[in-house]
Amino acid sequence: MNFGNVDFNTYFKNYPDENGFFGKYGGCYISPELSNAMKEITEAYFSICQSRKFINELRRIRKEFQGRPTPISHLERLSNRIGNVQLYVKREDLNHTGAHKLNHCMGEALLAKYMGKKKIIAETGAGQHGVALATAAAYFGLECDIYMGSVDIKKQAPNVARMKILGANVVEVTHGLATLKEAVDAAFAAYANEYKDAIYCIGSVLGPHPFPMMVRDFQSVVGIEAREQFNDMTGHLPDAIVACVGGGSNAAGFFSGFLNDSVDIYGIEPLGRGPKLGDHAASLKYGTEGIMHGFNSIMLKDENGEPAPVYSVASGLDYPSSGPEHAFLQEIGRVKYDVIGDDDTIKAFFALSRLEGIIPAIESSHAVAYGIKLAKEMGKGSVLINLSGRGDKDMDYILENYGNGENFNLDQYLK
Ligand SMILES: *Cc1c(COP(=O)(O)O)cnc(C)c1O
């Protein structure tokens, strides 16, 4: 299948190119010192990760430790309430640790082991990436330094506790606003000093080459499984697929299985409280081209051209840019990127919980909300949604801000 001048039969061979570009997006914009470290990782990735031994070991880990393949569930009651469109979810909430992030963390940590590294380094904002990586480090017996702003450490106490219980070293970052951006800078600075013994593990399809490619490839297991499972279940492919987009890792992996099919693909960004800068994190919709954190993509900027403040009810989606591959897939028109705000997200959260017995992560609820909206518009057909994670981590926040959903009117929402 072709889109513009992009041939999707050979897409994974050609994108990214050898310098890490998806069209004009991506690349590796970092100091010469770190550049060498990135070259080492890239070379290791191509030699080690394509080897039979590595592939077989990762396969075994996915099956025996992560509990893969995760199933697809048909949302029968929810679909019937809306009309004739059949909704399905790919259950990454059932992946070990409760979200898709472990898929690339296990891959990155296994690569670290094969490269003979002793330590893995990363930053975390809401703590989800930190917990997934600390899990991988414990599994492989690697040291693990997680850089985290002091503001986030206070806000995310349960995740900080999880990381420590798993044996990770949480390094507090106190300078500047002491949140994610400062944690990224501190983690990169530490890595520049320690790259001989350590490897940096990014949390999404972001950062300098080879990370956007590597994380996508490790996450592609979600798309490969989903395509086969859906076909086995229904005898055909879905008419449309939907995933939420923060940095874009769950979406990139899920989409990769369907890019060469005649399936409509939707990536959903958080509109938060509305379209005013500072009220959302919809970078692909409202952003402009720019370089941050080592790569060229579409980003939200303030008046000084710096990464703008962002907001979403889902802390895993509030990043001021998205992976370069998403900027590219938007530009050539293969994937449609759209937005869903906080209100619809919370309604979808309660609808899925009450009608299907699945409490979704607030991040994933964005995709569910968009799937419901599509189902109302389409009238017939099928929609497969990537349920990137479970909502256990969001219970306190939901109860405090929305209660237990007693006053939520399902009929009104689904009509
Ligand atoms: C972190 C997270 C996301 C957002 O990250 P992507 O890289 O955009 O996938 C989405 N869902 C869940 C459950 C998460 O934990």
Side-chain angles (χ1 to χ4, degrees):
M1 192 164 77
N2 283 54
F3 255 84
N5 55 10
V6 179
D7 179 358
F8 279 95
N9 287 303
T10 52
Y11 178 75
F12 295 104
K13 220 172 81 210
N14 297 326
Y15 295 91
D17 70 14
E18 60 184 322
N19 296 314
F21 283 96
F22 301 85
K24 63 183 168 179
Y25 303 109
C28 186
Y29 298 86
I30 46 173
S31 67
E33 203 171 16
L34 278 178
S35 230
N36 286 334
M38 291 303 136
K39 277 201 197 96
E40 188 199 348
I41 298 179
T42 308
E43 275 162 27
Y45 179 70
F46 281 115
S47 57
I48 295 169
C49 297
Q50 324 292 3
S51 74
R52 255 304 117 205
K53 188 156 178 268
F54 183 95
I55 293 170
N56 286 341
E57 187 164 356
L58 191 58
R59 266 198 197 136
R60 184 185 59 76
I61 289 167
R62 284 171 173 165
K63 180 161 174 251
E64 295 174 4
F65 179 64
Q66 294 179 232
R68 304 202 69 87
T70 59
I72 283 179
S73 302
H74 181 200
L75 306 179
E76 207 172 331
R77 296 185 67 220
L78 181 61
S79 304
N80 288 343
R81 288 287 281 266
I82 300 169
N84 291 321
V85 174
Q86 299 307 310
L87 291 165
Y88 299 81
V89 281
K90 171 67 171 163
R91 302 289 304 277
E92 289 306 292
D93 60 315
L94 296 177
N95 196 32
H96 178 44
T97 72
H100 70 287
K101 284 198 177 72
L102 195 66
N103 298 331
H104 64 254
C105 287
M106 293 307 283
E108 287 178 316
L110 183 61
L111 177 61
K113 196 184 103 176
Y114 273 64
M115 288 173 76
K117 305 289 185 186
K118 300 197 165 37
K119 187 195 270 190
I120 49 186
I121 296 177
E123 76 293 325
T124 194
Q128 295 301 108
H129 176 51
V131 170
L133 200 61
T135 302
Y139 180 89
F140 291 110
L142 295 162
E143 283 176 57
C144 181
D145 286 355
I146 304 289
Y147 290 77
M148 194 169 184
S150 20
V151 171
D152 290 330
I153 287 181
K154 279 204 197 74
K155 268 212 280 218
Q156 310 290 345
N159 276 342
V160 175
R162 282 187 191 103
M163 286 183 260
K164 289 185 174 165
I165 287 171
L166 289 161
N169 179 24
V170 180
V171 186
E172 182 167 357
V173 179
T174 55
H175 72 271
L177 296 173
T179 60
L180 181 62
K181 184 186 172 298
E182 289 78 17
V184 174
D185 297 339
F188 263 106
Y191 180 51
N193 282 327
E194 301 182 67
Y195 71 86
K196 292 213 166 58
D197 297 319
I199 187 172
Y200 183 74
C201 291
I202 206 133
S204 188
V205 283
L206 302 168
H209 181 62
F211 289 117
M213 169 189 74
M214 204 161 88
V215 171
R216 172 198 69 189
D217 292 352
F218 286 138
Q219 286 294 347
S220 67
V221 64
V222 179
I224 293 168
E225 282 176 10
R227 188 178 187 281
E228 191 180 318
Q229 290 168 319
F230 193 91
N231 208 10
D232 285 349
M233 243 172 128
T234 67
H236 54 81
L237 292 180
D239 295 295
I241 64 168
V242 187
C244 66
V245 178
S249 64
N250 87 86
F254 184 54
F255 294 171
S256 72
F258 299 89
L259 286 174
N260 197 28
D261 295 310
S262 53
V263 169
D264 293 333
I265 305 181
Y266 296 89
I268 306 308
E269 299 190 293
L271 184 62
R273 293 182 286 250
K276 201 161 108 305
L277 190 66
D279 280 349
H280 63 82
S283 50
L284 292 163
K285 177 142 184 132
Y286 298 110
T288 50
E289 190 179 344
I291 294 170
M292 67 180 271
H293 297 156
F295 65 105
N296 185 43
S297 188
I298 303 285
M299 60 188 267
L300 294 166
K301 298 172 197 160
D302 65 13
E303 61 277 12
N304 301 317
E306 293 295 312
V310 285
Y311 161 82
S312 164
V313 65
S315 54
L317 300 181
D318 59 357
Y319 185 70
S321 182
S322 289
E325 186 171 17
H326 290 293
F328 177 66
L329 292 171
Q330 170 168 263
E331 188 177 271
I332 63 168
R334 177 62 191 98
V335 177
K336 184 172 170 14
Y337 293 87
D338 207 342
V339 294
I340 279 285
D342 287 358
D343 284 354
D344 283 339
T345 297
I346 299 302
K347 287 176 189 164
F349 169 91
F350 284 123
L352 194 69
S353 300
R354 213 187 279 176
L355 288 176
E356 298 290 345
I358 302 171
I359 302 179
I362 305 181
E363 289 81 1
S364 325
S365 302
H366 284 75
V368 176
Y370 200 83
I372 291 172
K373 186 174 162 228
L374 267 183
K376 292 179 188 172
E377 290 164 7
M378 284 165 60
K380 64 177 179 30
S382 56
V383 179
L384 174 61
I385 300 160
N386 196 28
L387 202 75
S388 54
R390 65 179 182 222
D392 302 44
K393 68 183 178 57
D394 300 315
M395 285 303 97
D396 290 347
Y397 182 86
I398 290 283
L399 281 176
E400 202 168 296
N401 293 278
Y402 302 96
N404 56 20
E406 262 167 6
N407 302 323
F408 166 60
N409 187 334
L410 260 182
D411 288 331
Q412 203 181 3
Y413 174 51
L414 296 176
K415 78 161 185 272

